[in-house]
Amino acid sequence: MAARESGRIKDAYQKRVLDEAARKRRQRKALEALEQDNFHDDPHADLVMSKKVPKFQESLDSRGAGRKKKTKSAEYYKQRFRKTFAQLVEEELNFNRTPPNYASAQAPASRFPDRHFCAVCGFPSNYTCIPCGARYCSTKCLGTHLDTRCLKWTA
Amino acid sequence: MSNVSFILDNGACTAKVGLSTASPKLVPNCIMKAKSERRRPFVGSQIEECRDASGLFYILPFQKGYLINWDIQKTVWDYIFSKEQCSANLSQMPLFITEPHFNFPSIQEAMTEIFFEEYDCQSILKINASGLSCYHYRNKNPTAKCCIIVDSGYSFTHIIPYVNGVKVKDGIRRIDVGGKLLTNHLKEIISYRQLHVMDETYVINQAKEDSCFVSQDFYKDMNTAKNKLEINPIARDYVLPDYTSLRRGFLRQPEAPGEQQTLRLNNERFAIPEILFHPSDVGIHQIGIPEAIVDSLKACSEETWPHLLANIVLTGGNAKFPGFRDRVLKEVRSLAPSQYSVNVVRPEDPITYAWEGGKLLSRDSRLSSMIVTKEEYEEEGQAICYERFDI
Ligand SMILES: [Zn+2]
Ligand SMILES: [Zn+2]
């Protein structure tokens, strides 16, 4: 390892260490990111008309045999059935506590130990970064990790 | 009653739709907006008209596998039932609609209301997609008393044991890993390692479908992937679409960088699907599919075990990864009691397998006792749906 690199690693290690709560927060954020529908913003957000989606007028005629019925708008149903996922889970906790249900069906933790992979290259890793707890496989990857992630976007 | 039905397998990413006399159409169950087309959003299959799908923005009706955004869903359903797509006269035929396991009561009730009151349905049948898959399997394998359906889709993966066609609710297991998480994880690691693709869900999802496979020997493949290119049969380049000369990317042997923009894929190719087998690889502390199959088995009575293990059926988009079936078989074999034989089936099309089950069910003479008619709903309300449908 180059002397410059080892000096830099030593520096980083002396600075500070993320506590358990911060590490958990980071992990939770990473999992939330895996649930996201989009990383970027709505490209039409600045358009006033962008909420208007096409109407499929033909479908209305084919629906009822002769009986012309007023159909309700998408917005109506948005308001009528408005409930977030968190609210639904909470409702179930309050009203349907007897398993089997959504909560009880969740797969339990494995009896096998976790596997560890380098946060930089993805290959199996044997080492843990002292400041943040990320895994790495080599001094080269540790260097990259310290330069790019480690404590750089601390929550 | 005529025996034509309309079948809507309402997936969180793709709706599988069509008349039971036809073949299923795959319709993206979302609204998409493109950077390149500012005049209009694309609903469902309209995305095929989009010239440049880079930076596509998704608006989905589902969150975590459950129907949350009703305005989006209503818009996509209007599109599906329109002349542009399927042109079904729902007041003249039964509608089969799938719902996720343990669907929340208020979503179930909203579904019933919208189909009877908005879409004027003559009658409906609500069922889990795995219920249709079970029907399909039993129809083709009449001697199978039991089966385990593995449904690995966009939002999550379910393991559902069926005994004599009835699901064993205590045995249902949900793993919170699906295709969406795999694509997002691939996006994340490519963006960190080589090229910022966080805005390119559409393209990276295709890259995942075109490149990833399930390893049969994970650590051996990891070692192979460490080799330099000349002796590394895993490393490939994925040529990204530019939407002028290339509309969909493709995988090829690694080459020196040229005109086209490429991604170098190596251990990513098998580390991504691996999350289905080890969710803890990304910090989700749940068992993977083979362990969940055995866990589910153990919730059923022991006399059913040989029948369940002999009839494991893999459905949903993730079942399309090459090597998926062999890996599930290998691991379930090693985890299950050794006196029983294990058989794992991956249908030819694991995505439309449930829909095709609906097609077979539409000809079943018992159908009229399974559906709820509009008259029954008007008389008895939501209660009749809870009584008749087992969601
Ligand atoms: Zn590394
Ligand atoms: Zn670190």
Side-chain angles (χ1 to χ4, degrees), chain A residues 42-63:
Chain A
D42 183 346
H44 299 185
D46 55 328
L47 297 181
V48 186
M49 300 300 283
S50 72
K51 276 208 117 176
K52 277 231 164 116
V53 292
K55 299 271 182 290
F56 307 98
Q57 211 51 51
E58 321 89 330
S59 68
L60 310 183
D61 309 327
S62 64
R63 220 180 270 163

Side-chain angles (χ1 to χ4, degrees), chain A residues 53-105:
Chain A
V53 292
K55 299 271 182 290
F56 307 98
Q57 211 51 51
E58 321 89 330
S59 68
L60 310 183
D61 309 327
S62 64
R63 220 180 270 163
R67 83 182 129 142
K68 282 268 190 284
K69 177 172 162 277
K70 250 214 171 124
T71 60
K72 297 194 175 77
S73 68
E75 189 60 26
Y76 167 84
Y77 285 101
K78 180 179 179 170
Q79 300 307 329
R80 170 107 177 75
F81 302 136
R82 180 187 286 279
K83 255 177 208 168
T84 65
F85 181 76
Q87 281 173 313
L88 292 164
V89 172
E90 168 121 8
E91 259 181 25
E92 186 183 73
L93 273 176
N94 293 330
F95 300 116
N96 179 26
R97 302 193 66 150
T98 33
N101 54 25
Y102 176 78
S104 72

